[in-house]
Amino acid sequence: MEKSEYIWFNGKFVPWDEAKTHVLDHGLHYGTGVFEGIRAYKTHDGNTAVFRLEEHVERLVKSAKALRMSFPYSREEIKGIIVETIRKNRLEECYIRPLAWYGYRELGLRARDLPVNFMVAVWKWGKYLGKEGVRAKISTWVRNSPNSFPNEAKICGGYVNAIFASEEARNAGYDEAIMLDLRGFIAEGPGENLFIVEKERLLTPPLYVSILPGITRDAVIILAQDLGYGVMETDITRGRLYNADEAFFTGTAAEVTPIYEVDDRKIGEGKTGPVTKRIQEEFLAVTGGKREKYGQWLTYIYK
Ligand code: PPE
């Protein structure tokens, strides 16, 4: 990863290489932390804006609630810390990673009365999946089911399930995994939501299908409807995915990434389809500050 200068850590800015924690932190042993992934974009007027900061902070607070972690900062304070961290590092575009985790006091599975650490790091992160369009493979690892894990929450430990899937796919020569839910319907990628296109209509798994309620997913649903496409949240079988006209992943890190192949079957023509292209362009226009209608999604950093 590309280093920046400072990381905000428990109330102060510390140089990147000095942002260290105790090896007996509870979160390190049991995955008891919550995090977010957010992006800031350079807008057309040269300023920098965080995309949907409000929604990301809201999800962070909700994730903490799922873990019964009392968050040491208010929503307003969290937003302020994020903005200050970008300013302090004088970045034009960046990925933003806030993380709150149980710290060092006691080990054991009683996660109570533990100190909560909080840090915000920002750095340049380019193409997440490394390619224009990706080859994906359905995972043998089933997405955490609703009664084994609250997938709505971005809790650190939950990502081990995602990493099993991601590593399996990559080791088999694919770019990314697609995970099914306990019933066998398409859920999501390890770190992305998924859409398919059938003619002029977008289909995506509903929120009850063991997925993270993606903020990019939500933006894409709104933008697609605005562009006149139909959007339906529905269970998707893997056979239906194989025969889709187009498919793509969405996520803060992945943005809108076309899926060219699934399980060695070309999706449509096996290249970026026209609907995906149109959604990508619109998403870029919005994050670039070119759509007044979605101005409220942007938090500007520099005066
Ligand atoms: N599903 C999962 C499981 C997920 O982790 C993400 C974000 C999404 C869907 C898309 O959600 P949203 O970013 O709100 O549109 N994954 C984050 C972490 C990626 C990582 O490798 O770390 C991200 O994209 O920042």
Side-chain angles (χ1 to χ4, degrees):
M1 67 200 296
E2 196 174 329
K3 287 185 193 176
S4 301
E5 276 188 82
Y6 297 102
I7 291 176
W8 190 98
F9 185 20
N10 285 345
K12 49 182 191 281
F13 287 110
V14 294
W16 180 281
D17 288 327
E18 288 165 32
K20 299 198 172 140
T21 192
H22 201 281
V23 292
L24 293 175
D25 277 1
H26 197 272
L28 187 59
H29 294 249
Y30 308 119
T32 47
V34 296
F35 69 102
E36 267 305 315
I38 316 172
R39 271 190 195 270
Y41 290 89
K42 185 170 180 186
T43 54
H44 72 109
D45 59 2
N47 205 333
T48 295
V50 181
F51 184 61
R52 306 197 76 180
L53 179 59
E54 192 82 37
E55 291 85 345
H56 282 283
V57 169
E58 191 55 39
R59 193 170 64 188
L60 183 66
V61 169
K62 284 184 179 164
S63 297
K65 180 171 181 185
L67 196 55
R68 296 187 71 229
M69 170 191 276
S70 48
F71 213 90
Y73 303 94
S74 69
R75 288 169 176 75
E76 283 313 306
E77 284 168 330
I78 299 165
K79 282 190 262 174
I81 293 165
I82 290 171
V83 168
E84 279 311 314
T85 308
I86 301 169
R87 281 192 191 140
K88 179 85 176 166
N89 286 286
R90 299 183 306 273
L91 291 172
E92 285 191 321
E93 290 208 293
C94 60
Y95 183 82
I96 305 157
R97 170 55 55 87
L99 170 72
W101 72 101
Y102 283 136
Y104 161 61
R105 181 168 295 153
E106 294 285 341
L107 285 180
L109 303 186
R110 262 184 60 109
R112 228 173 284 162
D113 305 322
L114 293 170
V116 176
N117 292 314
F118 185 48
M119 76 90 196
V120 175
V122 296
W123 69 92
K124 284 187 201 148
W125 196 352
K127 262 206 181 338
Y128 178 65
L129 293 172
K131 291 187 181 158
E132 188 52 49
V134 296
R135 294 176 59 239
K137 169 126 188 63
I138 305 278
S139 186
T140 64
W141 293 98
V142 172
R143 192 87 189 109
N144 285 324
S145 66
N147 265 341
S148 57
F149 197 86
N151 289 291
E152 294 82 358
K154 255 180 116 64
I155 295 177
C156 299
Y159 279 80
V160 177
N161 173 243
I163 287 167
F164 281 141
S166 165
E167 281 297 296
E168 176 189 62
R170 280 165 224 265
N171 284 328
Y174 298 85
D175 304 308
E176 188 57 304
I178 294 172
M179 302 183 77
L180 306 179
D181 74 351
L182 198 56
R183 304 166 306 154
F185 291 97
I186 305 290
E188 60 181 343
E192 312 89 357
N193 293 115
L194 183 143
F195 285 80
I196 66 171
V197 181
E198 289 180 351
K199 298 202 169 65
E200 295 280 284
R201 193 163 68 157
L202 272 66
L203 306 180
T204 195
L207 292 181
Y208 63 73
V209 185
S210 303
I211 61 170
L212 184 80
I215 292 164
T216 320
R217 173 188 181 277
D218 179 72
V220 163
I221 290 174
I222 294 169
L223 297 179
Q225 284 169 337
D226 257 20
L227 292 170
Y229 298 115
V231 180
M232 198 165 84
E233 299 182 63
T234 185
D235 283 333
I236 300 170
T237 57
R238 75 196 264 180
R240 194 166 185 183
L241 167 60
Y242 293 158
N243 286 304
D245 296 321
E246 303 174 31
F248 58 88
F249 283 126
T250 64
T252 298
E255 300 171 304
V256 177
T257 300
I259 301 170
Y260 289 170
E261 263 181 54
V262 177
D263 294 346
D264 307 304
R265 290 153 176 91
K266 266 190 196 168
I267 303 302
E269 311 232 318
K271 54 184 197 203
T272 307
V275 178
T276 307
K277 184 103 210 125
R278 191 73 194 82
I279 303 279
Q280 272 182 323
E281 285 165 0
E282 196 60 16
F283 182 73
L284 268 181
V286 170
T287 55
K290 292 183 189 157
R291 295 285 183 273
E292 219 162 275
K293 183 168 179 195
Y294 296 106
Q296 83 280 7
W297 283 353
L298 302 177
T299 301
Y300 286 89
I301 298 296
Y302 303 107
K303 301 280 184 311

